[in-house]
Amino acid sequence: MLRLVIAEDAVLLRAGLVELLTRGGHEVVAAVGDADALAAAVDADRPDVVVTDVRMPPDFRDEGLRAALRLRDRHPGLPVLVLSQYVATPYATRLLGAAGAQRAGLGYLLKDRVGEVSEFLDALRRVAGGETVIDPEVVRVLLRQQSADRPIARLTPREREVLGLMAEGLNNQTVGARLSITEASVVKHCGNIFMKLDLDPVEGNRRVLAVLAHLADLRGE
């Protein structure tokens, strides 16, 4: 059982998440509708995971992500699962980079692309366990932001495919199955990616966070 704080300004969706997570065997210690209430709830209840939207009152821009970044500073290692309708690129990149530095669980899912309740609950468990779970579309948006004069441009099309799947939190075996190549080929591509991005290869999800943190640094965010 996980203790959760939910931040979602849409009343019906917030109530639905509480019901879904409670039925899934978890405890929702607080369900709030704005960033200030989110911060207060996390400080008071110290949850196992935070589930937050991006847009919140008063401006309905990136308040949820900014609150998550501040909470990471106050509570290093706090797992966060972002559940949003869009990719807030600047703050998403900063949050991913912060997760890499802290080695904390992080998820970024798009609401309209979550096909099954079981997928969402599985993502929640993985984030609570320190893993990275990122929607493939989020990965594509972040990688597209890299301009042609950045080290990301050194990668071949195949290496970009491998990097995208790595950033989803997939291991080498699963990446190979997705691309119909051997695991040995994936290992070779990973080595090339880390070399071209001036990163040391690190196994597991930490390598994904390291890559994303590096990309964030390249953008100066």
Side-chain angles (χ1 to χ4, degrees), residues 140-173:
R140 283 191 284 271
V141 170
L142 294 179
L143 291 181
R144 279 200 301 266
Q145 301 301 314
Q146 305 308 310
S147 60
D149 60 344
R150 300 275 167 77
I152 193 72
R154 303 171 188 167
L155 304 185
T156 66
R158 176 61 87 186
E159 288 165 354
R160 284 174 177 263
E161 288 181 313
V162 170
L163 178 59
L165 293 173
M166 283 168 52
E168 291 176 37
L170 303 182
N171 60 30
N172 289 344
Q173 183 179 12

PDB file of all heavy atoms in Angstrom, residues 140-173:
ATOM      1  N   ARG A 140       9.605  12.020 -27.202  1.00  0.00           N
ATOM      2  CA  ARG A 140       9.757  12.577 -28.556  1.00  0.00           C
ATOM      3  C   ARG A 140       9.749  14.101 -28.527  1.00  0.00           C
ATOM      4  O   ARG A 140      10.544  14.757 -29.223  1.00  0.00           O
ATOM      5  CB  ARG A 140       8.651  12.045 -29.461  1.00  0.00           C
ATOM      6  CG  ARG A 140       8.870  10.622 -29.939  1.00  0.00           C
ATOM      7  CD  ARG A 140       7.896  10.254 -31.033  1.00  0.00           C
ATOM      8  NE  ARG A 140       6.582   9.988 -30.503  1.00  0.00           N
ATOM      9  CZ  ARG A 140       6.164   8.793 -30.088  1.00  0.00           C
ATOM     10  NH1 ARG A 140       6.980   7.759 -30.119  1.00  0.00           N
ATOM     11  NH2 ARG A 140       4.938   8.630 -29.625  1.00  0.00           N
ATOM     12  N   VAL A 141       8.859  14.687 -27.725  1.00  0.00           N
ATOM     13  CA  VAL A 141       8.786  16.144 -27.644  1.00  0.00           C
ATOM     14  C   VAL A 141      10.083  16.720 -27.085  1.00  0.00           C
ATOM     15  O   VAL A 141      10.627  17.695 -27.621  1.00  0.00           O
ATOM     16  CB  VAL A 141       7.593  16.578 -26.769  1.00  0.00           C
ATOM     17  CG1 VAL A 141       7.656  18.083 -26.484  1.00  0.00           C
ATOM     18  CG2 VAL A 141       6.283  16.241 -27.460  1.00  0.00           C
ATOM     19  N   LEU A 142      10.612  16.104 -26.030  1.00  0.00           N
ATOM     20  CA  LEU A 142      11.843  16.614 -25.430  1.00  0.00           C
ATOM     21  C   LEU A 142      13.035  16.501 -26.373  1.00  0.00           C
ATOM     22  O   LEU A 142      13.855  17.412 -26.469  1.00  0.00           O
ATOM     23  CB  LEU A 142      12.138  15.863 -24.130  1.00  0.00           C
ATOM     24  CG  LEU A 142      11.137  16.068 -22.982  1.00  0.00           C
ATOM     25  CD1 LEU A 142      11.547  15.238 -21.778  1.00  0.00           C
ATOM     26  CD2 LEU A 142      11.037  17.535 -22.608  1.00  0.00           C
ATOM     27  N   LEU A 143      13.110  15.379 -27.079  1.00  0.00           N
ATOM     28  CA  LEU A 143      14.242  15.195 -27.993  1.00  0.00           C
ATOM     29  C   LEU A 143      14.153  16.136 -29.190  1.00  0.00           C
ATOM     30  O   LEU A 143      15.175  16.578 -29.718  1.00  0.00           O
ATOM     31  CB  LEU A 143      14.307  13.745 -28.465  1.00  0.00           C
ATOM     32  CG  LEU A 143      14.684  12.712 -27.400  1.00  0.00           C
ATOM     33  CD1 LEU A 143      14.734  11.317 -28.013  1.00  0.00           C
ATOM     34  CD2 LEU A 143      16.017  13.058 -26.757  1.00  0.00           C
ATOM     35  N   ARG A 144      12.936  16.453 -29.641  1.00  0.00           N
ATOM     36  CA  ARG A 144      12.774  17.367 -30.773  1.00  0.00           C
ATOM     37  C   ARG A 144      13.260  18.773 -30.442  1.00  0.00           C
ATOM     38  O   ARG A 144      13.566  19.551 -31.343  1.00  0.00           O
ATOM     39  CB  ARG A 144      11.310  17.416 -31.216  1.00  0.00           C
ATOM     40  CG  ARG A 144      10.882  16.270 -32.102  1.00  0.00           C
ATOM     41  CD  ARG A 144       9.623  16.632 -32.886  1.00  0.00           C
ATOM     42  NE  ARG A 144       8.518  16.976 -32.009  1.00  0.00           N
ATOM     43  CZ  ARG A 144       7.585  16.104 -31.597  1.00  0.00           C
ATOM     44  NH1 ARG A 144       7.660  14.839 -31.963  1.00  0.00           N
ATOM     45  NH2 ARG A 144       6.605  16.500 -30.822  1.00  0.00           N
ATOM     46  N   GLN A 145      13.304  19.105 -29.161  1.00  0.00           N
ATOM     47  CA  GLN A 145      13.699  20.447 -28.758  1.00  0.00           C
ATOM     48  C   GLN A 145      15.192  20.695 -28.909  1.00  0.00           C
ATOM     49  O   GLN A 145      15.651  21.822 -28.840  1.00  0.00           O
ATOM     50  CB  GLN A 145      13.293  20.705 -27.299  1.00  0.00           C
ATOM     51  CG  GLN A 145      11.807  20.573 -27.028  1.00  0.00           C
ATOM     52  CD  GLN A 145      10.982  21.514 -27.865  1.00  0.00           C
ATOM     53  OE1 GLN A 145      11.301  22.686 -27.976  1.00  0.00           O
ATOM     54  NE2 GLN A 145       9.928  21.008 -28.461  1.00  0.00           N
ATOM     55  N   GLN A 146      15.957  19.620 -29.100  1.00  0.00           N
ATOM     56  CA  GLN A 146      17.402  19.778 -29.208  1.00  0.00           C
ATOM     57  C   GLN A 146      17.762  20.327 -30.596  1.00  0.00           C
ATOM     58  O   GLN A 146      17.395  19.773 -31.616  1.00  0.00           O
ATOM     59  CB  GLN A 146      18.115  18.433 -28.996  1.00  0.00           C
ATOM     60  CG  GLN A 146      17.739  17.767 -27.694  1.00  0.00           C
ATOM     61  CD  GLN A 146      17.902  18.681 -26.501  1.00  0.00           C
ATOM     62  OE1 GLN A 146      18.948  19.295 -26.334  1.00  0.00           O
ATOM     63  NE2 GLN A 146      16.881  18.764 -25.675  1.00  0.00           N
ATOM     64  N   SER A 147      18.458  21.427 -30.640  1.00  0.00           N
ATOM     65  CA  SER A 147      18.805  22.052 -31.916  1.00  0.00           C
ATOM     66  C   SER A 147      19.950  21.305 -32.584  1.00  0.00           C
ATOM     67  O   SER A 147      20.673  20.529 -31.974  1.00  0.00           O
ATOM     68  CB  SER A 147      19.194  23.517 -31.701  1.00  0.00           C
ATOM     69  OG  SER A 147      20.307  23.594 -30.847  1.00  0.00           O
ATOM     70  N   ALA A 148      20.159  21.609 -33.875  1.00  0.00           N
ATOM     71  CA  ALA A 148      21.105  20.847 -34.698  1.00  0.00           C
ATOM     72  C   ALA A 148      22.554  21.010 -34.266  1.00  0.00           C
ATOM     73  O   ALA A 148      23.398  20.183 -34.590  1.00  0.00           O
ATOM     74  CB  ALA A 148      20.960  21.266 -36.161  1.00  0.00           C
ATOM     75  N   ASP A 149      22.865  22.084 -33.528  1.00  0.00           N
ATOM     76  CA  ASP A 149      24.256  22.292 -33.145  1.00  0.00           C
ATOM     77  C   ASP A 149      24.575  21.682 -31.789  1.00  0.00           C
ATOM     78  O   ASP A 149      25.665  21.882 -31.256  1.00  0.00           O
ATOM     79  CB  ASP A 149      24.589  23.787 -33.123  1.00  0.00           C
ATOM     80  CG  ASP A 149      23.717  24.559 -32.145  1.00  0.00           C
ATOM     81  OD1 ASP A 149      22.672  24.016 -31.724  1.00  0.00           O
ATOM     82  OD2 ASP A 149      24.088  25.699 -31.810  1.00  0.00           O
ATOM     83  N   ARG A 150      23.671  20.913 -31.222  1.00  0.00           N
ATOM     84  CA  ARG A 150      23.887  20.281 -29.931  1.00  0.00           C
ATOM     85  C   ARG A 150      24.398  18.858 -30.124  1.00  0.00           C
ATOM     86  O   ARG A 150      24.189  18.239 -31.169  1.00  0.00           O
ATOM     87  CB  ARG A 150      22.582  20.259 -29.133  1.00  0.00           C
ATOM     88  CG  ARG A 150      22.030  21.673 -28.880  1.00  0.00           C
ATOM     89  CD  ARG A 150      22.694  22.283 -27.639  1.00  0.00           C
ATOM     90  NE  ARG A 150      22.434  23.713 -27.542  1.00  0.00           N
ATOM     91  CZ  ARG A 150      21.285  24.231 -27.135  1.00  0.00           C
ATOM     92  NH1 ARG A 150      20.291  23.458 -26.826  1.00  0.00           N
ATOM     93  NH2 ARG A 150      21.149  25.528 -27.050  1.00  0.00           N
ATOM     94  N   PRO A 151      25.054  18.287 -29.112  1.00  0.00           N
ATOM     95  CA  PRO A 151      25.601  16.928 -29.228  1.00  0.00           C
ATOM     96  C   PRO A 151      24.575  15.875 -29.617  1.00  0.00           C
ATOM     97  O   PRO A 151      24.938  14.851 -30.199  1.00  0.00           O
ATOM     98  CB  PRO A 151      26.156  16.668 -27.825  1.00  0.00           C
ATOM     99  CG  PRO A 151      26.546  18.022 -27.336  1.00  0.00           C
ATOM    100  CD  PRO A 151      25.477  18.950 -27.864  1.00  0.00           C
ATOM    101  N   ILE A 152      23.276  16.112 -29.325  1.00  0.00           N
ATOM    102  CA  ILE A 152      22.252  15.138 -29.686  1.00  0.00           C
ATOM    103  C   ILE A 152      22.242  14.904 -31.193  1.00  0.00           C
ATOM    104  O   ILE A 152      21.879  13.830 -31.677  1.00  0.00           O
ATOM    105  CB  ILE A 152      20.864  15.617 -29.203  1.00  0.00           C
ATOM    106  CG1 ILE A 152      19.835  14.496 -29.282  1.00  0.00           C
ATOM    107  CG2 ILE A 152      20.398  16.833 -29.976  1.00  0.00           C
ATOM    108  CD1 ILE A 152      20.009  13.423 -28.273  1.00  0.00           C
ATOM    109  N   ALA A 153      22.687  15.926 -31.963  1.00  0.00           N
ATOM    110  CA  ALA A 153      22.704  15.806 -33.416  1.00  0.00           C
ATOM    111  C   ALA A 153      23.765  14.825 -33.894  1.00  0.00           C
ATOM    112  O   ALA A 153      23.751  14.411 -35.053  1.00  0.00           O
ATOM    113  CB  ALA A 153      22.943  17.178 -34.049  1.00  0.00           C
ATOM    114  N   ARG A 154      24.681  14.427 -33.013  1.00  0.00           N
ATOM    115  CA  ARG A 154      25.711  13.465 -33.395  1.00  0.00           C
ATOM    116  C   ARG A 154      25.148  12.060 -33.540  1.00  0.00           C
ATOM    117  O   ARG A 154      25.779  11.187 -34.142  1.00  0.00           O
ATOM    118  CB  ARG A 154      26.822  13.439 -32.338  1.00  0.00           C
ATOM    119  CG  ARG A 154      27.482  14.775 -32.056  1.00  0.00           C
ATOM    120  CD  ARG A 154      28.390  14.654 -30.835  1.00  0.00           C
ATOM    121  NE  ARG A 154      28.914  15.942 -30.403  1.00  0.00           N
ATOM    122  CZ  ARG A 154      29.516  16.145 -29.234  1.00  0.00           C
ATOM    123  NH1 ARG A 154      29.676  15.124 -28.406  1.00  0.00           N
ATOM    124  NH2 ARG A 154      29.959  17.334 -28.908  1.00  0.00           N
ATOM    125  N   LEU A 155      23.981  11.820 -32.957  1.00  0.00           N
ATOM    126  CA  LEU A 155      23.432  10.474 -32.944  1.00  0.00           C
ATOM    127  C   LEU A 155      22.861  10.082 -34.301  1.00  0.00           C
ATOM    128  O   LEU A 155      22.272  10.905 -35.005  1.00  0.00           O
ATOM    129  CB  LEU A 155      22.337  10.358 -31.890  1.00  0.00           C
ATOM    130  CG  LEU A 155      22.702  10.723 -30.457  1.00  0.00           C
ATOM    131  CD1 LEU A 155      21.528  10.438 -29.527  1.00  0.00           C
ATOM    132  CD2 LEU A 155      23.947   9.981 -29.997  1.00  0.00           C
ATOM    133  N   THR A 156      23.005   8.818 -34.641  1.00  0.00           N
ATOM    134  CA  THR A 156      22.391   8.280 -35.853  1.00  0.00           C
ATOM    135  C   THR A 156      20.896   8.079 -35.598  1.00  0.00           C
ATOM    136  O   THR A 156      20.447   8.072 -34.450  1.00  0.00           O
ATOM    137  CB  THR A 156      23.018   6.935 -36.225  1.00  0.00           C
ATOM    138  OG1 THR A 156      22.693   5.974 -35.206  1.00  0.00           O
ATOM    139  CG2 THR A 156      24.528   7.045 -36.355  1.00  0.00           C
ATOM    140  N   PRO A 157      20.098   7.912 -36.667  1.00  0.00           N
ATOM    141  CA  PRO A 157      18.669   7.646 -36.469  1.00  0.00           C
ATOM    142  C   PRO A 157      18.412   6.446 -35.561  1.00  0.00           C
ATOM    143  O   PRO A 157      17.515   6.477 -34.718  1.00  0.00           O
ATOM    144  CB  PRO A 157      18.165   7.405 -37.895  1.00  0.00           C
ATOM    145  CG  PRO A 157      19.073   8.224 -38.754  1.00  0.00           C
ATOM    146  CD  PRO A 157      20.423   8.105 -38.096  1.00  0.00           C
ATOM    147  N   ARG A 158      19.187   5.378 -35.722  1.00  0.00           N
ATOM    148  CA  ARG A 158      19.001   4.199 -34.868  1.00  0.00           C
ATOM    149  C   ARG A 158      19.339   4.520 -33.413  1.00  0.00           C
ATOM    150  O   ARG A 158      18.644   4.079 -32.495  1.00  0.00           O
ATOM    151  CB  ARG A 158      19.874   3.050 -35.369  1.00  0.00           C
ATOM    152  CG  ARG A 158      19.813   1.809 -34.488  1.00  0.00           C
ATOM    153  CD  ARG A 158      18.404   1.236 -34.415  1.00  0.00           C
ATOM    154  NE  ARG A 158      18.160   0.314 -35.511  1.00  0.00           N
ATOM    155  CZ  ARG A 158      16.992  -0.251 -35.766  1.00  0.00           C
ATOM    156  NH1 ARG A 158      15.940   0.029 -35.000  1.00  0.00           N
ATOM    157  NH2 ARG A 158      16.829  -1.072 -36.770  1.00  0.00           N
ATOM    158  N   GLU A 159      20.403   5.290 -33.196  1.00  0.00           N
ATOM    159  CA  GLU A 159      20.777   5.662 -31.832  1.00  0.00           C
ATOM    160  C   GLU A 159      19.706   6.538 -31.199  1.00  0.00           C
ATOM    161  O   GLU A 159      19.434   6.439 -29.996  1.00  0.00           O
ATOM    162  CB  GLU A 159      22.133   6.376 -31.838  1.00  0.00           C
ATOM    163  CG  GLU A 159      23.296   5.422 -32.132  1.00  0.00           C
ATOM    164  CD  GLU A 159      24.579   6.137 -32.498  1.00  0.00           C
ATOM    165  OE1 GLU A 159      24.565   7.387 -32.636  1.00  0.00           O
ATOM    166  OE2 GLU A 159      25.608   5.452 -32.672  1.00  0.00           O
ATOM    167  N   ARG A 160      19.061   7.384 -31.998  1.00  0.00           N
ATOM    168  CA  ARG A 160      17.951   8.195 -31.482  1.00  0.00           C
ATOM    169  C   ARG A 160      16.780   7.299 -31.065  1.00  0.00           C
ATOM    170  O   ARG A 160      16.126   7.556 -30.048  1.00  0.00           O
ATOM    171  CB  ARG A 160      17.486   9.203 -32.536  1.00  0.00           C
ATOM    172  CG  ARG A 160      18.402  10.404 -32.708  1.00  0.00           C
ATOM    173  CD  ARG A 160      17.939  11.271 -33.876  1.00  0.00           C
ATOM    174  NE  ARG A 160      18.758  12.446 -34.009  1.00  0.00           N
ATOM    175  CZ  ARG A 160      18.451  13.638 -33.513  1.00  0.00           C
ATOM    176  NH1 ARG A 160      17.345  13.784 -32.808  1.00  0.00           N
ATOM    177  NH2 ARG A 160      19.238  14.675 -33.696  1.00  0.00           N
ATOM    178  N   GLU A 161      16.526   6.262 -31.854  1.00  0.00           N
ATOM    179  CA  GLU A 161      15.465   5.328 -31.493  1.00  0.00           C
ATOM    180  C   GLU A 161      15.785   4.632 -30.172  1.00  0.00           C
ATOM    181  O   GLU A 161      14.911   4.503 -29.299  1.00  0.00           O
ATOM    182  CB  GLU A 161      15.287   4.284 -32.596  1.00  0.00           C
ATOM    183  CG  GLU A 161      14.649   4.792 -33.862  1.00  0.00           C
ATOM    184  CD  GLU A 161      14.484   3.695 -34.899  1.00  0.00           C
ATOM    185  OE1 GLU A 161      15.464   2.940 -35.129  1.00  0.00           O
ATOM    186  OE2 GLU A 161      13.388   3.572 -35.455  1.00  0.00           O
ATOM    187  N   VAL A 162      17.026   4.192 -30.041  1.00  0.00           N
ATOM    188  CA  VAL A 162      17.442   3.509 -28.815  1.00  0.00           C
ATOM    189  C   VAL A 162      17.340   4.470 -27.628  1.00  0.00           C
ATOM    190  O   VAL A 162      16.846   4.102 -26.554  1.00  0.00           O
ATOM    191  CB  VAL A 162      18.882   2.969 -28.953  1.00  0.00           C
ATOM    192  CG1 VAL A 162      19.405   2.471 -27.604  1.00  0.00           C
ATOM    193  CG2 VAL A 162      18.933   1.844 -29.981  1.00  0.00           C
ATOM    194  N   LEU A 163      17.796   5.708 -27.800  1.00  0.00           N
ATOM    195  CA  LEU A 163      17.734   6.695 -26.729  1.00  0.00           C
ATOM    196  C   LEU A 163      16.291   6.953 -26.305  1.00  0.00           C
ATOM    197  O   LEU A 163      15.984   7.057 -25.111  1.00  0.00           O
ATOM    198  CB  LEU A 163      18.390   7.998 -27.183  1.00  0.00           C
ATOM    199  CG  LEU A 163      18.357   9.163 -26.185  1.00  0.00           C
ATOM    200  CD1 LEU A 163      19.047   8.779 -24.886  1.00  0.00           C
ATOM    201  CD2 LEU A 163      18.980  10.401 -26.784  1.00  0.00           C
ATOM    202  N   GLY A 164      15.400   7.058 -27.282  1.00  0.00           N
ATOM    203  CA  GLY A 164      13.996   7.279 -26.962  1.00  0.00           C
ATOM    204  C   GLY A 164      13.420   6.164 -26.123  1.00  0.00           C
ATOM    205  O   GLY A 164      12.692   6.397 -25.150  1.00  0.00           O
ATOM    206  N   LEU A 165      13.740   4.919 -26.479  1.00  0.00           N
ATOM    207  CA  LEU A 165      13.237   3.773 -25.719  1.00  0.00           C
ATOM    208  C   LEU A 165      13.910   3.684 -24.350  1.00  0.00           C
ATOM    209  O   LEU A 165      13.271   3.309 -23.358  1.00  0.00           O
ATOM    210  CB  LEU A 165      13.450   2.484 -26.511  1.00  0.00           C
ATOM    211  CG  LEU A 165      12.619   2.372 -27.796  1.00  0.00           C
ATOM    212  CD1 LEU A 165      13.020   1.139 -28.596  1.00  0.00           C
ATOM    213  CD2 LEU A 165      11.132   2.331 -27.467  1.00  0.00           C
ATOM    214  N   MET A 166      15.183   4.032 -24.271  1.00  0.00           N
ATOM    215  CA  MET A 166      15.865   4.081 -22.982  1.00  0.00           C
ATOM    216  C   MET A 166      15.164   5.055 -22.052  1.00  0.00           C
ATOM    217  O   MET A 166      14.967   4.784 -20.862  1.00  0.00           O
ATOM    218  CB  MET A 166      17.321   4.520 -23.169  1.00  0.00           C
ATOM    219  CG  MET A 166      18.261   3.449 -23.698  1.00  0.00           C
ATOM    220  SD  MET A 166      19.841   4.191 -24.197  1.00  0.00           S
ATOM    221  CE  MET A 166      20.298   5.116 -22.738  1.00  0.00           C
ATOM    222  N   ALA A 167      14.796   6.212 -22.600  1.00  0.00           N
ATOM    223  CA  ALA A 167      14.175   7.249 -21.785  1.00  0.00           C
ATOM    224  C   ALA A 167      12.786   6.867 -21.298  1.00  0.00           C
ATOM    225  O   ALA A 167      12.258   7.485 -20.384  1.00  0.00           O
ATOM    226  CB  ALA A 167      14.106   8.558 -22.579  1.00  0.00           C
ATOM    227  N   GLU A 168      12.198   5.845 -21.903  1.00  0.00           N
ATOM    228  CA  GLU A 168      10.920   5.329 -21.415  1.00  0.00           C
ATOM    229  C   GLU A 168      11.113   4.402 -20.224  1.00  0.00           C
ATOM    230  O   GLU A 168      10.151   3.925 -19.619  1.00  0.00           O
ATOM    231  CB  GLU A 168      10.197   4.567 -22.525  1.00  0.00           C
ATOM    232  CG  GLU A 168       9.701   5.451 -23.655  1.00  0.00           C
ATOM    233  CD  GLU A 168       9.080   4.632 -24.770  1.00  0.00           C
ATOM    234  OE1 GLU A 168       8.409   3.621 -24.462  1.00  0.00           O
ATOM    235  OE2 GLU A 168       9.260   5.002 -25.945  1.00  0.00           O
ATOM    236  N   GLY A 169      12.368   4.108 -19.892  1.00  0.00           N
ATOM    237  CA  GLY A 169      12.647   3.238 -18.764  1.00  0.00           C
ATOM    238  C   GLY A 169      12.797   1.785 -19.142  1.00  0.00           C
ATOM    239  O   GLY A 169      12.766   0.911 -18.276  1.00  0.00           O
ATOM    240  N   LEU A 170      12.967   1.488 -20.451  1.00  0.00           N
ATOM    241  CA  LEU A 170      13.068   0.096 -20.894  1.00  0.00           C
ATOM    242  C   LEU A 170      14.501  -0.408 -20.761  1.00  0.00           C
ATOM    243  O   LEU A 170      15.457   0.341 -20.967  1.00  0.00           O
ATOM    244  CB  LEU A 170      12.622  -0.014 -22.355  1.00  0.00           C
ATOM    245  CG  LEU A 170      11.213   0.492 -22.675  1.00  0.00           C
ATOM    246  CD1 LEU A 170      10.896   0.273 -24.138  1.00  0.00           C
ATOM    247  CD2 LEU A 170      10.172  -0.189 -21.795  1.00  0.00           C
ATOM    248  N   ASN A 171      14.649  -1.694 -20.447  1.00  0.00           N
ATOM    249  CA  ASN A 171      15.983  -2.281 -20.358  1.00  0.00           C
ATOM    250  C   ASN A 171      16.471  -2.693 -21.740  1.00  0.00           C
ATOM    251  O   ASN A 171      15.730  -2.629 -22.733  1.00  0.00           O
ATOM    252  CB  ASN A 171      16.000  -3.462 -19.383  1.00  0.00           C
ATOM    253  CG  ASN A 171      15.041  -4.575 -19.791  1.00  0.00           C
ATOM    254  OD1 ASN A 171      14.767  -4.794 -20.973  1.00  0.00           O
ATOM    255  ND2 ASN A 171      14.527  -5.300 -18.806  1.00  0.00           N
ATOM    256  N   ASN A 172      17.724  -3.133 -21.818  1.00  0.00           N
ATOM    257  CA  ASN A 172      18.331  -3.452 -23.116  1.00  0.00           C
ATOM    258  C   ASN A 172      17.585  -4.565 -23.851  1.00  0.00           C
ATOM    259  O   ASN A 172      17.415  -4.517 -25.067  1.00  0.00           O
ATOM    260  CB  ASN A 172      19.793  -3.853 -22.927  1.00  0.00           C
ATOM    261  CG  ASN A 172      20.667  -2.680 -22.537  1.00  0.00           C
ATOM    262  OD1 ASN A 172      20.265  -1.527 -22.684  1.00  0.00           O
ATOM    263  ND2 ASN A 172      21.849  -2.953 -22.033  1.00  0.00           N
ATOM    264  N   GLN A 173      17.155  -5.561 -23.107  1.00  0.00           N
ATOM    265  CA  GLN A 173      16.457  -6.683 -23.735  1.00  0.00           C
ATOM    266  C   GLN A 173      15.153  -6.229 -24.379  1.00  0.00           C
ATOM    267  O   GLN A 173      14.830  -6.612 -25.515  1.00  0.00           O
ATOM    268  CB  GLN A 173      16.171  -7.769 -22.692  1.00  0.00           C
ATOM    269  CG  GLN A 173      15.507  -9.014 -23.271  1.00  0.00           C
ATOM    270  CD  GLN A 173      15.271 -10.077 -22.208  1.00  0.00           C
ATOM    271  OE1 GLN A 173      15.393  -9.814 -21.012  1.00  0.00           O
ATOM    272  NE2 GLN A 173      14.940 -11.276 -22.634  1.00  0.00           N
TER     273      GLN A 173
END
